[in-house]
């Protein structure tokens, strides 16, 4: 059965791919921390789940080198097409691509040294299934590393945007931020670590990682959000064009509070979780 978010991500694919320079700068330190946690050596085989437009795939492919191999999978064929183009343009030939739902078994040989997932696991409606599949895809001693959105209170820009968007839609003030498949679905303290332990992972660790957005101004952040398939877009989608513009205008005005002499810095906290499949 096709996961309905595949078409949503197909629609967002071009924008997310275009935003790669912003995403790269935003997530560079967190991606480096992921790579360190995965303990990759040249020659390693890595499964990159929910690979998107391939930004982190590129870092993984370089870390494992020409003798290593990366399998990049994603729900959206379109976004994976952008990843394929990006890796090809970079001359990295050690990556294969496969459309696939992280919650479903792989249609290929498992035995990976590491399974990595950057900002994808929280979108899974059944993250326990995705973690269990990651466990099965690893060889004994292999590492699972996932980066997800952290605590709601540490990500105020998203809360502000959602609040303003819901007001413009005439929806009640707040939805359940921890709803399955949403941005904060794995943000509750301890939740992701529990999922990993329940699947059989050992050495489970879960660490908050500061990932502030540094951009010239609030307008640049709003432009990124509008281009990148954010859940805010879905809330505003039913409005007509002029009503939507008014909502974005108020969102931008509210976010100017994070501007200062050094430009605009939006606070953001992610959660880096890891575990080992026992030998
Ligand atoms: C925010 S993007 C992150 C992409 C990339 N990992 C990055 O960090 O740039 C989220 C990605 O998760 C993918 N995704 C969402 N649900 C998924 C699922 N159940 N299985 C596989 N991929 C999924 C989307 O198609 C999208 O490419």
């Amino acid at each position: 059965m096709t996961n309905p978010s595949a078409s949503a991500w197909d629609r967002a694919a071009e924008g997310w791919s275009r935003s790669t320079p912003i995403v790269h700068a935003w997530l560079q330190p967190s991606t480096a921390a992921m790579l360190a946690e995965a303990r990759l050596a040249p020659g390693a085989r890595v499964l990159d789940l929910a690979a998107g437009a391939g930004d982190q795939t590129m870092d993984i492919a370089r870390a494992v080198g020409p003798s290593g191999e990366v399998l990049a999978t994603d729900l959206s064929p379109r976004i994976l097409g952008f990843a394929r183009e990006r890796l090809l343009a970079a001359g990295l030939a050690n990556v294969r691509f496969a459309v696939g739902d992280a919650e479903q078994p792989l249609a290929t040989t498992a035995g990976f040294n590491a399974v990595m997932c950057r900002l994808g696991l929280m979108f899974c409606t059944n993250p326990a299934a995705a973690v269990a599949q990651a466990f099965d895809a690893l060889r004994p001693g292999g590492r699972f590393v996932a980066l997800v959105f952290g605590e709601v209170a540490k990500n105020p820009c998203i809360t502000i945007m959602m609040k303003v968007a819901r007001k413009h839609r005439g929806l009640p003030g707040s939805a359940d931020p921890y709803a399955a498949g949403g941005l904060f679905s794995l943000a509750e303290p301890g939740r992701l670590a529990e999922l990993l332990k329940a699947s059989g992972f050992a050495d489970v660790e879960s660490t908050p990682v500061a990932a502030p957005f540094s951009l010239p101004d609030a307008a640049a952040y709003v432009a990124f959000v509008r281009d990148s398939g954010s859940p805010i877009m879905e809330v505003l989608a039913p409005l007509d064009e002029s009503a939507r513009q008014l909502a974005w205008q108020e969102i931008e005005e509210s976010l100017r509070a994070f501007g200062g002499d050094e430009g605009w810095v939006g606070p953001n906290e992610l959660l880096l979780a890891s575990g080992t499949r026992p030998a």
Side-chain angles (χ1 to χ4, degrees):
M1 198 170 70
T2 313
N3 185 319
S5 19
S7 48
W9 279 104
D10 270 349
R11 283 192 298 279
E14 194 170 350
W16 185 264
S17 181
R18 196 168 34 235
S19 301
T20 294
I22 292 178
V23 172
H24 183 81
W26 167 41
L27 294 178
Q28 198 167 27
S30 324
T31 308
M34 286 184 82
L35 289 170
E37 283 299 333
R39 301 173 196 158
L40 302 181
R45 289 186 68 229
V46 181
L47 173 60
D48 182 16
L49 289 175
D55 179 54
Q56 76 292 314
T57 317
M58 198 120 89
D59 294 332
I60 300 169
R62 290 195 172 113
V64 301
S67 61
E69 186 197 20
V70 186
L71 174 62
T73 68
D74 198 284
L75 206 52
S76 153
R78 191 129 195 267
I79 208 162
L80 215 49
F82 287 105
R84 186 181 279 111
E85 275 175 24
R86 182 160 281 110
L87 273 289
L88 204 67
L92 291 161
N94 57 346
V95 184
R96 289 184 298 128
F97 301 88
V99 174
D101 187 334
E103 298 176 23
Q104 302 294 328
L106 278 179
T108 182
T109 327
F112 289 94
N113 299 94
V115 176
M116 303 176 73
C117 186
R118 190 182 85 173
L119 298 191
L121 195 59
M122 68 272 175
F123 293 124
C124 290
T125 43
N126 185 354
V131 172
Q133 294 300 341
F135 186 91
D136 286 348
L138 285 166
R139 63 178 61 174
R143 298 277 294 159
F144 176 58
V145 183
L147 188 73
V148 301
F149 268 80
E151 277 188 58
V152 178
K154 301 284 175 64
N155 292 287
C157 298
I158 293 165
T159 309
I160 290 169
M161 289 191 292
M162 200 46 106
K163 201 168 152 202
V164 175
R166 290 179 68 83
K167 185 185 87 177
H168 281 255
R169 270 288 307 282
L171 296 169
S174 60
D176 172 11
Y178 301 119
L183 221 44
F184 293 118
S185 64
L186 296 173
E188 271 179 295
R191 167 123 165 84
L192 186 51
E194 274 164 30
L195 282 183
L196 264 64
K197 285 178 193 160
S199 274
F201 282 105
D203 311 324
V204 172
E205 282 181 22
S206 160
T207 319
V209 181
F213 255 106
S214 292
L215 289 167
D217 50 29
Y221 180 67
V222 168
F224 163 67
V225 172
R226 294 184 73 167
D227 211 16
S228 63
S230 144
I232 316 293
M233 309 280 288
E234 283 160 43
V235 176
L236 293 177
L239 296 179
D240 68 36
E241 187 52 31
S242 61
R244 210 169 25 240
Q245 285 305 334
L246 279 178
W248 282 114
Q249 212 172 308
E250 189 179 335
I251 285 174
E252 190 180 317
E253 279 158 17
S254 311
L255 292 173
R256 286 197 193 122
F258 298 102
D261 294 342
E262 306 290 309
W264 186 88
V265 183
N268 184 231
E269 191 176 279
L270 305 173
L271 201 58
L272 179 63
S274 60
T276 305
R277 178 173 173 157

